[in-house]
Amino acid sequence: MPEHTAASRLRLSGLCFLLQILNILLFAVFVRYSPESSPGQCPPQLNCSRRNQDSGFQQPRFQDVHIQVLLSFGLLLAFLGRYGPGSAAISILIMAFAIQWAVLIQGIFYFLLNGKIYVGAQSMVSADFCTAAVLISSGAVLGRVNPVQLLLLALLEVTLCTLNEYILLSLMGVSDSGRSLTVHTFGAYFGLMVSRVLYQPHKDKRKREERQDVGHQTDVFAVVGTIYLWIFWPSFTSTTTVHENAENWAVLNTYFSLVASTVATFILSPVLYEESTPWMVQIQDATLAGMAVMGMAGEMLVTPFGALIAGFLVGLISPLGFRFLTPVLHSRLKIQDTCGVHNIHGLPGILGALLGTLLTLLATADTYGDRLELLFPLVAQGSRTITDQAFIQLSALPLTLLLATLGGCLTGEL
């Protein structure tokens, strides 16, 4: 991160103290463990229909998601030679605060009952999802903001990200278990809008020169981050799919997309750049893009060859975006995207939403069987046609872009 004066260090210390005390007080007043995931009697005023679902929630899946957020997303912020180690440390700080704040904000929307927020394993996973969106946004402004500003970004983005998720998943009934929209797309464009508002021509020119020094440790971070992506991302995609028969599709489709996008990078990168093989950072980017495109469509009937096609295409689009689109974003739109979140999260997230919409149109009771009720319960109940569901899936994309854009502009101004 940028160099800090003694005053800025004290501001960071003071803000961390105030925010942590605030979280402790709010937790003491509002947060309780959910009776749905506890043994014993369940109070009649609570809906305990999901008791078995939450109490049976496998610890390894939560652990996989948490490791995914901490290491795979966190290591993306260790991108710069000069700021890398500090960025990794700050990413842990952002995650530590954002998880607490997300539990509170999401609890207000989802779990508030009789003045209390009831939390269980699933609410912690939801908090991790929201934290991932914040870390994606941080990648767009890396090296241009200080830790105090990143904490304030997390404070506002968690609130708006939760609002977007609540509107899409609860009010509209959108199926987005792997979070193409609510994590990848929202986080990317929220961060890009913050970057646009913070644009300062003279300072950005100097800082852009500093960011060109990525340092020898970048490949080390990228190797570790890529390994963790390969191991843990399928759990990230499928962890909200609590039914085992539905989970298998999400895991397999994610892996097929992942391998195809990685191969595509080895095809295109030597053509676009002078190196005979891609940098490890480029492989990491392809890995992220290939899995982001499966966020919405992962648990749908993509078919193995369809997942390979989707991964291959996004594996080509991502390096093309770095080569041709990123310079345009900077020169024409004045958006400095430090970690390239537009190419590895934004565009794949949009493509994932479009793919999910197409697959929704093709969903039938004959092809999906019992899975149709899990993915589209309103369609299975007969209260919504499959065409209506597809339109809602599609309309969720511009709504997410609108909330992310307005939220990012507001955060940047503040």
Side-chain angles (χ1 to χ4, degrees):
M1 302 304 297
E3 295 180 355
H4 310 299
T5 64
S8 66
R9 291 196 298 270
L10 290 176
R11 283 197 297 269
L12 175 61
S13 177
L15 181 61
C16 288
F17 176 79
L18 291 175
L19 291 177
Q20 188 58 48
I21 293 299
L22 174 64
N23 280 332
I24 290 173
L25 292 175
L26 292 175
F27 266 69
V29 174
F30 296 108
V31 179
R32 301 290 185 271
Y33 289 122
S34 172
E36 299 175 14
S37 56
S38 303
Q41 294 295 322
C42 182
Q45 68 270 26
L46 291 178
N47 177 15
C48 293
S49 60
R50 295 183 60 190
R51 174 198 290 273
N52 294 334
Q53 174 179 314
D54 197 57
S55 61
F57 188 81
Q58 295 106 328
Q59 175 68 18
R61 292 207 295 179
F62 164 66
Q63 180 177 295
D64 288 352
V65 173
H66 197 63
I67 292 175
Q68 177 72 31
V69 173
L70 175 63
L71 289 175
S72 300
F73 281 104
L75 287 174
L76 284 178
L77 301 186
F79 179 74
L80 306 179
R82 181 174 180 180
Y83 305 136
S87 299
I90 294 302
S91 71
I92 296 177
L93 168 63
I94 298 303
M95 187 190 71
F97 166 71
I99 286 177
Q100 298 176 70
W101 189 241
V103 167
L104 289 166
I105 299 301
Q106 291 179 342
I108 293 174
F109 282 97
Y110 292 103
F111 309 110
L112 187 64
L113 186 65
N114 297 331
K116 301 298 180 183
I117 296 172
Y118 293 94
V119 298
Q122 191 61 51
S123 57
M124 288 300 296
V125 170
S126 297
D128 271 332
F129 279 138
C130 194
T131 301
V134 176
L135 291 175
I136 291 171
S137 299
S138 301
V141 296
L142 182 63
R144 305 174 62 226
V145 295
N146 58 48
V148 171
Q149 292 171 316
L150 282 176
L151 277 174
L152 295 176
L153 181 148
L155 181 72
L156 294 172
E157 183 172 1
V158 165
T159 305
L160 294 170
C161 180
T162 302
L163 174 62
N164 180 65
E165 181 182 285
Y166 180 74
I167 293 173
L168 265 58
L169 304 186
S170 294
L171 299 184
M172 297 175 61
V174 173
S175 177
D176 187 25
S177 63
R179 304 303 196 264
S180 281
L181 287 176
T182 56
V183 171
H184 295 285
T185 303
F186 186 91
Y189 289 98
F190 186 98
L192 290 173
M193 288 304 102
V194 173
S195 179
R196 174 62 183 88
V197 173
L198 295 178
Y199 178 76
Q200 295 177 307
H202 302 296
K203 291 184 179 181
D204 276 2
K205 180 179 180 180
R206 176 175 59 84
K207 291 184 179 294
R208 190 164 62 252
E209 294 172 354
E210 293 175 352
R211 285 192 289 271
Q212 290 174 353
D213 175 25
V214 296
H216 69 277
Q217 80 271 21
T218 298
D219 275 343
V220 176
F221 286 135
V223 168
V224 176
T226 303
I227 291 172
Y228 276 102
L229 284 170
W230 277 71
I231 296 173
F232 295 109
W233 193 285
S235 293
F236 186 92
T237 304
S238 66
T239 192
T240 57
T241 308
V242 295
H243 301 272
E244 294 301 323
N245 64 332
E247 178 188 349
N248 291 335
W249 278 7
V251 171
L252 294 174
N253 288 330
T254 301
Y255 268 121
F256 287 134
S257 178
L258 155 64
V259 296
S261 64
T262 302
V263 172
T265 296
F266 279 85
I267 295 173
L268 194 56
S269 290
V271 177
L272 298 176
Y273 304 97
E274 296 180 356
E275 291 78 10
S276 58
T277 58
W279 303 327
M280 197 63 207
V281 171
Q282 293 172 322
I283 299 174
Q284 183 185 39
D285 293 342
T287 304
L288 278 165
M291 292 184 287
V293 77
M294 281 293 113
M296 179 182 289
E299 60 177 343
M300 298 180 186
L301 189 57
V302 183
T303 70
F305 81 90
L308 288 175
I309 292 174
F312 182 76
L313 290 177
V314 81
L316 297 176
I317 291 173
S318 180
L320 286 172
F322 275 103
R323 184 67 176 85
F324 299 107
L325 189 55
T326 297
V328 174
L329 288 177
H330 181 261
S331 61
R332 300 290 180 87
L333 301 180
K334 312 303 180 185
I335 295 175
Q336 181 65 46
D337 184 6
T338 307
C339 290
V341 299
H342 182 253
N343 305 305
I344 58 182
H345 294 286
L347 285 178
I350 291 176
L351 293 175
L354 296 176
L355 176 60
T357 300
L358 175 61
L359 292 172
T360 301
L361 279 173
L362 302 177
T364 64
D366 292 336
T367 56
Y368 276 67
D370 294 339
R371 183 186 296 265
L372 186 67
E373 185 175 359
L374 304 178
L375 292 178
F376 310 116
L378 295 178
V379 174
Q381 296 166 11
S383 58
R384 179 183 291 177
T385 67
I386 200 65
T387 304
D388 293 336
Q389 182 66 44
F391 176 77
I392 289 173
Q393 297 283 129
L394 182 60
S395 63
L397 175 58
L399 178 58
T400 297
L401 292 173
L402 177 63
L403 289 175
T405 301
L406 294 178
C409 290
L410 174 64
T411 301
E413 292 291 346
L414 296 177

